[in-house]
Amino acid sequence: MTCLDEEGDEDARNWLTVGMCNRHPRCGCEPGGGIVKSHKEPILRDVAMMAEVSIKTASRVLNNDPSVAPLTRAKVLEAMRELDYRPDPAARSLRAGRDRSVGVVVEGIGDVFVASLVASIESRLSDAGYQVLITSSHRDVSRERAIVQDFQQRRCAGVIVMPCTEDSLVGLRLGDLPVVFVDRVGEFPGSQSVVSDDFGLARIAGKHLTSHGHRRIAIVSDSQSVPTTRDRHAGFRQAMEDGGITFDPDLVRDDCLDESYVRDAINQLFALDQPPTALIATNTRLSIGVVPALHLVGRTDTAFLAFGDFPMAESLTPAITAIDHSPHRLGQIAAETLLARLKPGALDVSTEPIVVPAGLIVRGSGELPPRPTTQNSSAAIPARAT
């Protein structure tokens, strides 16, 4: 009998048979040298036969069951590679009740911070064998609820959500779908949130500027209806109180939806009779707008502290002092938290929020001393086009 696999016939590698030789289950050899050609994809039974294990054992390897002996696991994985075996996602979904996919809902992937967060989540989940479905809520609670419900109906294994509000998913019927909230605390039975200490970090930022003698400190942000922004404003006000500084609402600009709104905010702040000597931007996208705005207004001598680091921050002059609010770490830990919930028998899981540590990166812009300013000491920036 001649075995085509031994002769290197490439077509034989794609033939599966009912009657296989004992030495080469994938080659299509039959007693007497006959070959039964079939162009069907290999199935788990073929993997089990080649690895000389039961179909149940091959299935346990496929599902990463830790109880499989290392030598057995290696034999099954080698058989999968040899046969170029690809599991049928639809069939696995029907058997397991869930798909090997995870839904991720964020407010918008155009944001630098969010894009990095999503990339980190996708990388970790992909390494664990999950496909990631990413979509944006655009800060619309109704849309967010509809998306999450759709993920549940698609049999997603779990969801990671950057919630519009703390209670935006309350009342949804999601069965036993694992839910992890990221960047903001969310409320849902059995869920867990992975967040930063927004209040505490903003307080650190404010105290850092007051420690360098600043008393006219402005804060530039998006709407305080966003939970993280609201907490950062509260931390900033606490820092002012800690420093014995009377809170001045004229130094607050909380209507900057993105960096394009920052020009107007900077114009307004430096048009005050007593302009700020220091600025805090509460997120990365606004920080990216503050830097050129200060250059245009001729006030690069204004101390500046960014909430969230960003590319090129250390290359500017002065380099930007920033709160190291790492989207990579948040995303990685959010993914790990969901994966822990997806393990077989994962029943006793924590619902306490996970607070990811962050710190202050001192580079120079946040350490500039106060410089007396007047209303006429700055040039107006052209207003944002409407």
Side-chain angles (χ1 to χ4, degrees), residues 342-358:
L342 296 177
K343 289 181 180 177
L347 299 176
D348 186 19
V349 291
S350 174
T351 57
E352 288 295 314
I354 298 173
V355 179
V356 180

Side-chain angles (χ1 to χ4, degrees), residues 125-166:
L125 291 177
S126 178
D127 287 345
Y130 288 90
Q131 291 186 329
V132 180
L133 309 177
I134 303 163
T135 189
S136 302
S137 67
H138 304 301
R139 296 187 180 178
D140 183 327
V141 173
S142 297
R143 177 178 168 82
E144 180 183 301
R145 290 171 66 87
I147 291 168
V148 173
Q149 192 74 74
D150 182 64
F151 281 149
Q152 188 266 339
Q153 292 170 354
R154 290 172 180 267
R155 293 196 187 93
C156 282
V159 294
I160 297 176
V161 182
M162 177 186 285
C164 298
T165 64
E166 187 170 343

Side-chain angles (χ1 to χ4, degrees), residues 38-77:
S38 171
H39 293 286
K40 292 181 179 178
E41 289 290 327
I43 61 176
L44 195 60
R45 183 185 300 276
D46 303 316
V47 172
M49 185 178 295
M50 174 176 272
E52 299 180 336
V53 300
S54 68
I55 295 177
K56 183 177 181 180
T57 297
S59 177
R60 286 162 58 200
V61 173
L62 181 61
N63 290 292
N64 295 316
D65 189 326
S67 66
V68 180
L71 181 59
T72 302
R73 182 184 301 278
K75 288 171 60 180
V76 173
L77 292 175

Side-chain angles (χ1 to χ4, degrees), residues 285-296:
R285 65 180 179 274
L286 299 185
S287 297
I288 292 172
V290 166
V291 172
L294 288 176
H295 276 268
L296 286 171

Side-chain angles (χ1 to χ4, degrees), residues 110-352:
D111 182 274
V112 175
F113 175 87
V114 175
S116 181
L117 176 78
V118 167
S120 179
I121 291 172
E122 183 178 27
S123 175
R124 181 63 190 92
L125 291 177
S126 178
D127 287 345
Y130 288 90
Q131 291 186 329
V132 180
L133 309 177
I134 303 163
T135 189
S136 302
S137 67
H138 304 301
R139 296 187 180 178
D140 183 327
V141 173
S142 297
R143 177 178 168 82
E144 180 183 301
R145 290 171 66 87
I147 291 168
V148 173
Q149 192 74 74
D150 182 64
F151 281 149
Q152 188 266 339
Q153 292 170 354
R154 290 172 180 267
R155 293 196 187 93
C156 282
V159 294
I160 297 176
V161 182
M162 177 186 285
C164 298
T165 64
E166 187 170 343
D167 59 354
S168 57
L169 298 189
V170 170
L172 279 183
R173 299 177 64 179
L174 301 178
D176 60 351
L177 181 72
V179 177
V180 172
F181 294 105
V182 65
D183 192 47
R184 301 164 189 168
V185 172
E187 181 183 338
F188 193 81
S191 68
Q192 192 166 18
S193 301
V194 178
V195 297
S196 297
D197 179 10
D198 294 297
F199 176 92
L201 292 171
R203 188 179 184 184
I204 288 172
K207 292 182 73 172
H208 183 74
L209 292 172
T210 60
S211 71
H212 285 80
H214 295 279
R215 300 185 66 82
R216 298 286 295 170
I217 305 173
I219 183 168
V220 177
S221 77
D222 54 2
S223 171
Q224 293 190 56
S225 65
V226 179
T228 49
T229 303
R230 185 168 58 247
D231 289 345
R232 291 169 192 177
H233 273 267
F236 169 74
R237 289 194 298 272
Q238 185 61 56
M240 297 303 98
E241 183 178 329
D242 294 342
I245 300 170
T246 301
F247 176 72
D248 185 351
D250 287 342
L251 294 175
V252 175
R253 292 294 179 272
D254 59 0
D255 56 356
C256 298
L257 300 182
D258 57 41
E259 61 270 24
S260 68
Y261 288 75
V262 173
R263 285 189 177 188
D264 291 349
I266 296 298
N267 264 337
Q268 293 163 10
L269 289 168
F270 282 95
L272 295 172
D273 291 337
Q274 291 184 289
T277 62
L279 289 170
I280 294 175
T282 63
N283 63 52
T284 305
R285 65 180 179 274
L286 299 185
S287 297
I288 292 172
V290 166
V291 172
L294 288 176
H295 276 268
L296 286 171
V297 83
R299 292 315 310 261
T300 55
D301 58 344
T302 302
F304 175 47
L305 198 153
F307 205 108
D309 204 7
F310 59 92
M312 301 298 292
E314 62 183 345
S315 301
L316 298 171
T317 304
I320 306 301
T321 296
I323 294 290
D324 185 21
H325 174 226
S326 170
H328 175 78
R329 284 199 298 271
L330 278 171
Q332 187 174 48
I333 294 173
E336 294 285 0
T337 302
L338 181 63
L339 289 172
R341 282 166 152 66
L342 296 177
K343 289 181 180 177
L347 299 176
D348 186 19
V349 291
S350 174
T351 57
E352 288 295 314

